[in-house]
């Protein structure tokens, strides 16, 4: 993350701290519909409805925990998802140099309280965001250091992993490596994982960072190994259907070689703050309002990805 975005996070945190907890932060200037065009009338039902939340950046100021819980409750009540995919940056930030241990444990406890309070019965499959790791622990041997601790707090089996539900396969990546990329071990694992997927199965890939799309052109933050990943996905073009990301807090829906690359904004919008001079609405980061995505996954490999702004 560049210096400008780091400063934006700090500025947003200050804005949030100074705002009244009862203030309605995200009153949209106009009604927003889902981001994609109306779908053809379909008689078949999706195999799964999945909620993709990303960049929650939970903090304990400005009533954020209650706002996040209301957002989760709204998602469940409105869309009835089968499970959640969480794209990382669950906590506001524990990666800065001056973050003490007490802040790390407090933020992760707040995250736990929100999940247990709002969606205790839903499965949540997460990836690790760059702000989720405490790199300034006293030593690398500290039990709270780095990715392993973040993975344990997110309740995921490893920093990267995959799982299958019916004929849909979900691949969760860790791009928190040199220049935003997959390390050699992970890339070899990914190639083997996709190669082993049977015919008639389809893959959803989730990374915290965009792999392809428009938003890395605008604000950076994309995978440096995008060409190798693009080539791999083309090799398995009968399987890979969509790549989900967050990180940039912008909404982008790009299709390349019949693979959708969807950067699905941010639940926190402008880090739960009002915004700045470039925000096109209350709580927006640039032109994107705070929101979440709903995926519809069909048995024949079709996938819909719609972005829904929220006002919590």
């Amino acid at each position: 993350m560049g210096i400008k975005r780091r400063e934006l996070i700090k500025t947003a945190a200050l804005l949030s701290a100074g705002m009244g907890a009862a203030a309605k932060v995200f009153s949209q200037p106009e009604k927003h519909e889902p981001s994609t065009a109306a779908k053809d009338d379909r008689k078949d039902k999706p195999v799964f409805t999945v909620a993709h939340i990303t960049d929650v950046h939970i903090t304990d100021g400005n009533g954020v925990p209650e706002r996040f819980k209301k957002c989760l409750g709204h998602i469940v009540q409105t869309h009835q998802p089968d499970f959640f995919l969480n794209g990382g940056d669950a906590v506001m930030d524990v990666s800065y140099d001056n973050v003490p241990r007490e802040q790390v444990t407090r933020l992760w406890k707040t995250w736990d309280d929100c999940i247990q309070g709002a969606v205790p019965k839903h499965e949540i499959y997460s990836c690790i965001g760059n702000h989720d790791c405490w790199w300034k622990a006293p030593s690398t041997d500290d039990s709270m250091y780095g990715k392993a601790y973040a993975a344990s707090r997110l309740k995921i089996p490893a920093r990267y992993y995959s799982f299958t539900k019916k004929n849909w396969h979900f691949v969760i990546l860790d791009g928190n490596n040199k220049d935003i990329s997959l390390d050699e071990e992970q890339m070899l694992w990914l190639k083997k994982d996709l190669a082993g997927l049977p015919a008639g199965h389809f893959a959803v890939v989730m990374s915290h960072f965009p792999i392809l799309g428009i938003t890395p052109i605008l604000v950076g933050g994309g995978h440096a190994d995008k060409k190798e990943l693009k080539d791999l996905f083309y090799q398995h073009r009968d399987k890979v259907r969509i790549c989900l990301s967050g990180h940039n807090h912008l909404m982008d829906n790009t299709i390349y070689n019949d693979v959708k690359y969807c950067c699905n904004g941010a639940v926190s919008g402008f880090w739960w703050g009002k915004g700045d001079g470039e925000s096109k609405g209350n709580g927006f980061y640039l032109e994107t309002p705070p929101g979440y995505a709903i995926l519809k996954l069909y048995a024949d490999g079709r996938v819909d990805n719609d972005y829904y702004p929220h006002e919590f």
Side-chain angles (χ1 to χ4, degrees):
M1 172 175 290
I3 293 175
K4 183 177 180 181
R5 281 176 61 83
R6 291 171 67 96
E7 291 302 318
L8 282 172
I9 293 177
K10 293 179 180 178
T11 301
L14 291 173
L15 282 169
S16 296
M19 293 161 55
K24 185 176 180 181
V25 177
F26 300 126
S27 56
Q28 306 295 353
E30 58 184 351
K31 183 179 180 180
H32 289 269
E33 299 297 336
S35 63
T36 58
K39 306 299 182 296
D40 297 334
D41 291 336
R42 294 172 177 173
K43 295 181 180 179
D44 58 330
K45 294 182 179 180
V47 177
F48 294 112
T49 297
V50 182
H52 179 221
I53 60 173
T54 187
D55 295 82
V56 173
H57 287 282
I58 199 69
T59 181
D60 46 14
N62 190 38
V64 169
E66 289 304 315
R67 290 159 62 189
F68 178 43
K69 284 189 281 188
K70 287 179 180 179
C71 182
L72 290 174
H74 173 79
I75 293 171
V76 170
Q77 182 177 14
T78 305
H79 304 284
Q80 300 180 346
D82 295 293
F83 56 93
F84 284 78
L85 295 173
N86 168 40
D89 280 1
V91 294
M92 178 61 91
D93 192 272
V94 300
S95 66
Y96 289 156
D97 293 348
N98 60 347
V99 176
R101 185 183 302 272
E102 294 75 17
Q103 182 175 337
V104 179
T105 55
R106 186 179 74 250
L107 288 174
W108 280 115
K109 182 181 184 303
T110 302
W111 169 264
D112 290 342
D113 291 345
C114 288
I115 298 301
Q116 289 301 313
V119 286
K121 297 181 180 180
H122 280 76
E123 295 176 307
I124 300 180
Y125 299 93
S126 300
C127 65
I128 300 172
N130 54 298
H131 289 297
D132 294 328
C133 301
W134 191 40
W135 300 113
K136 291 301 178 179
S139 76
T140 57
D141 295 327
D142 193 292
S143 62
M144 291 174 59
Y145 173 81
K147 298 179 189 179
Y149 180 73
S152 70
R153 296 310 303 253
L154 290 167
K155 297 179 174 58
I156 57 177
R159 64 186 179 92
Y160 60 86
Y161 60 101
S162 64
F163 62 96
T164 300
K165 290 180 178 287
K166 295 186 180 180
N167 70 324
W168 278 92
H169 188 64
F170 300 84
V171 181
I172 314 300
L173 300 178
D174 169 28
N176 295 283
N177 304 292
K178 180 178 172 54
D179 299 325
I180 305 180
S181 65
L182 306 189
D183 50 280
E184 183 178 359
E185 172 192 284
Q186 185 178 184
M187 185 66 79
L188 291 173
W189 168 85
L190 176 60
K191 292 177 179 179
K192 183 177 180 180
D193 188 69
L194 291 177
L197 199 58
H201 282 62
F202 306 102
V204 174
V205 178
M206 181 171 69
S207 175
H208 176 63
F209 309 93
I211 294 174
L212 285 180
I214 302 301
T215 71
I217 298 174
L218 295 174
V219 297
H223 269 258
D225 52 358
K226 54 187 175 291
K227 186 178 185 300
E228 186 174 2
L229 288 170
K230 176 267 296 181
D231 291 344
L232 176 63
F233 298 157
Y234 186 76
Q235 179 185 345
H236 296 287
R237 56 191 178 276
D238 59 326
K239 303 172 183 176
V240 180
R241 287 292 182 262
I242 188 169
C243 297
L244 304 174
S245 68
H247 183 61
N248 285 349
H249 291 223
L250 298 174
M251 192 277 290
D252 175 15
N253 195 328
T254 299
I255 299 177
Y256 187 72
N257 289 335
D258 293 328
V259 178
K260 291 185 178 183
Y261 295 86
C262 298
C263 184
N264 282 327
V267 171
S268 64
F270 194 87
W271 298 272
W272 299 104
K274 287 184 174 181
D276 63 8
E278 294 185 290
S279 299
K280 298 304 185 285
N282 208 359
F284 285 44
Y285 178 54
L286 300 181
E287 301 85 8
T288 299
Y292 56 89
I294 297 295
L295 282 74
K296 302 283 188 179
L297 306 177
Y298 293 85
D300 61 0
R302 286 173 295 148
V303 55
D304 299 331
N305 181 96
D306 291 316
Y307 187 72
Y308 291 85
H310 73 75
E311 299 184 357
F312 297 101

